[in-house]
């Protein structure tokens, strides 16, 4: 990566222009983001891989005003890392309620589909994409906690 400072240095929050040395893709990011990420967003291998090991997770998200909802999902990374990624873009605070590990990711997809089937049976206003941008579509009302936990059995 080739880095050129964009203006005055303000520590870890300084925005920098970055250019990938592989494909010459350019983007602007903070030093903090650059250090905590794996590199070029265009070259990075992202997304869920059903051939790799995976987790299904259930997290309770609560706002300052005590509004709460459940978020289910799948990830090839450890659940704590995924939840921290979601938390970095949200006003809600997470509490991991359940996780299940699968040697093969496609088995995790089957369990996630059961959560989606449960979701389809419920009348629930999703959290705002503005307040919970990463994963707001994979949510359930807090009242469905028991049913959601039973899917892990």
């Amino acid at each position: 990566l080739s880095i050129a400072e964009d203006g005055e240095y303000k520590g870890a929050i300084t925005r920098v222009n970055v250019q990938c040395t592989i494909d010459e893709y350019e983007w602007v990011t903070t030093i903090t983001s650059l250090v905590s990420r794996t590199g070029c967003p265009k070259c990075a291998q992202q997304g869920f891989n059903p051939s790799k090991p995976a987790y299904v997770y259930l997290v309770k998200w609560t706002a300052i005003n005590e509004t709460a909802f459940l978020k289910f999902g799948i990830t090839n990374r450890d659940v704590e890392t995924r939840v921290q990624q979601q938390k970095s873009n949200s006003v809600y605070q997470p509490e991991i309620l359940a996780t299940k590990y699968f040697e093969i990711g496609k088995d995790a997809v089957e369990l996630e589909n059961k959560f989606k089937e449960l979701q389809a049976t419920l009348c629930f206003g999703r959290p705002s994409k503005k307040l919970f941008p990463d994963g707001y579509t994979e949510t359930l009302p807090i009242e469905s906690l028991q049913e959601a936990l039973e899917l892990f059995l």
Side-chain angles (χ1 to χ4, degrees), residues 129-140:
K129 182 177 182 179
K130 184 177 179 181
L131 298 177
F132 193 77
D134 190 357
Y136 75 100
T137 62
E138 298 165 326
T139 55
L140 299 167

Side-chain angles (χ1 to χ4, degrees), residues 101-102 105 131:
Y101 176 77
F102 294 87
L131 298 177

Side-chain angles (χ1 to χ4, degrees), residues 81-130:
T81 300
R82 177 68 178 121
V83 169
Q84 285 304 313
Q85 176 189 15
Q86 293 166 337
K87 181 181 175 187
S88 70
N89 297 315
S90 175
V91 299
Y92 295 91
Q93 294 300 311
E95 177 187 350
I96 299 171
L97 301 177
T99 63
K100 189 167 186 176
Y101 176 77
F102 294 87
E103 285 291 329
I104 301 170
K106 82 175 178 61
D107 295 334
V109 172
E110 290 178 19
L111 179 53
E112 183 189 41
N113 286 337
K114 290 181 181 179
F115 277 96
K116 290 178 179 179
E117 289 170 11
L118 172 61
Q119 183 186 45
T121 68
L122 302 171
C123 185
F124 173 61
R126 293 181 175 149
S128 161
K129 182 177 182 179
K130 184 177 179 181

Side-chain angles (χ1 to χ4, degrees), residues 140-151:
L140 299 167
I142 194 69
E143 295 79 17
S144 64
L145 176 59
Q146 191 59 43
E147 291 170 277
L149 288 172
E150 288 173 4
L151 292 176

Side-chain angles (χ1 to χ4, degrees), residues 37-54:
R37 302 283 192 276
T38 58
C40 175
K42 189 173 176 187
C43 293
Q45 301 242 340
Q46 296 182 5
F48 183 78
N49 185 335
S51 65
K52 291 185 176 180

Side-chain angles (χ1 to χ4, degrees), residues 2-9 11-19 26-32 34:
S2 155
I3 303 172
E5 190 174 318
D6 184 24
E8 178 182 328
Y9 180 74
I13 62 166
T14 301
R15 298 194 66 74
V16 292
N17 297 319
V18 184
Q19 181 179 30
E26 295 180 10
W27 73 102
V28 177
T29 188
T30 64
I31 292 174
T32 300
L34 187 61

Side-chain angles (χ1 to χ4, degrees), residues 60-73:
K60 176 182 174 184
W61 291 87
T62 308
I64 294 171
N65 67 1
E66 302 299 316
T67 303
F69 61 90
L70 302 172
K71 157 83 175 96
F72 62 90

